[in-house]
C-alpha cells in the first residue's frame, strides 16, 4: 500500500506549507521511524527530515531551522511544516517508513505532493 502525501501547492518565497502523510494499515505505526523525502526535476530523491519512533528528529542541512517534522501516532500521520520556503525547495515531496538498513524504505513510492516555490 502506497503512502499518500498531501498539502503541497504553489507558494511565494518566504511562505509556508504544511504537508501531511497518512500511513494506512500500519498497526504499529508508533514503532516506525519515518522520513520525508523530496525529488526535484532532474535530480535524485533525497532525504530531508526524519523522526524516530521515540520522537527524535534530524534534518538535512538545507532545511535545518526552516522545516519541522512531527507525528501523530493516534492518526498514523506524519507532518512536515515548511517555513521560509525558497525556490530551491521546489520538488515533489514524499514520506516513507524507514527501513532497517540505511537508505532503505518499506513501502513503494506514491505520487508525492508537489511543492512549487516562486521567487
Amino acid at each position: 500500500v502506497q503512502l499518500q502525501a498531501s498539502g503541497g501547492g504553489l507558494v511565494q518565497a518566504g511562505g509556508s506549507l504544511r504537508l501531511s502523510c497518512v500511513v494506512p494499515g500500519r498497526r504499529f505505526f508508533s514503532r516506525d521511524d519515518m522520513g520525508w523525502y523530496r525529488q526535484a526535476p532532474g535530480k535524485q530523491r533525497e532525504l530531508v527530515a526524519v523522526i524516530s519512533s521515540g520522537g527524535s528528529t534530524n534534518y538535512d542541512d538545507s532545511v535545518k531551522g526552516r522545516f519541522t517534522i512531527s507525528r501523530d501516532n493516534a492518526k498514523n500521520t506524519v507532518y512536515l511544516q515548511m517555513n521560509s520556503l525558497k525556490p530551491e525547495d521546489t520538488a515533489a515531496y514524499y514520506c516513507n517508513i524507514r527501513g532497517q538498513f540505511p537508505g532503505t524504505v518499506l513501502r513503494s513510492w506514491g505520487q508525492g505532493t508537489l511543492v512549487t516555490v516562486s521567487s
Side-chain angles (χ1 to χ4, degrees):
V1 177
Q2 294 177 340
L3 283 67
Q4 185 59 52
S6 62
L10 174 63
V11 64
Q12 289 187 334
S16 298
L17 285 172
R18 188 192 193 207
L19 307 184
S20 300
C21 179
V22 179
V23 184
R26 192 70 175 172
R27 184 176 181 185
F28 298 110
F29 170 76
S30 62
R31 300 180 186 178
D32 290 326
D33 295 341
M34 297 297 300
W36 276 101
Y37 304 76
R38 68 184 179 187
Q39 186 169 19
K43 295 187 178 181
Q44 289 189 335
R45 198 182 333 252
E46 61 178 356
L47 177 65
V48 296
V50 300
I51 185 166
S52 73
S53 58
S56 299
T57 59
N58 202 5
Y59 301 90
D60 184 81
D61 286 345
S62 64
V63 306
K64 199 171 294 184
R66 301 187 297 122
F67 289 11
T68 302
I69 188 171
S70 61
R71 64 192 299 159
D72 185 337
N73 291 334
K75 297 181 179 179
N76 274 30
T77 301
V78 61
Y79 303 97
L80 187 67
Q81 177 67 43
M82 306 187 297
N83 299 328
S84 302
L85 283 162
K86 304 176 180 180
E88 51 264 43
D89 295 319
T90 295
Y93 283 74
Y94 308 81
C95 75
N96 216 314
I97 307 167
R98 302 195 73 199
Q100 179 180 0
F101 301 103
T104 62
V105 295
L106 299 189
R107 296 281 179 89
S108 59
W109 296 103
Q111 290 188 338
T113 187
L114 184 61
V115 172
T116 304
V117 185
S118 63
S119 58

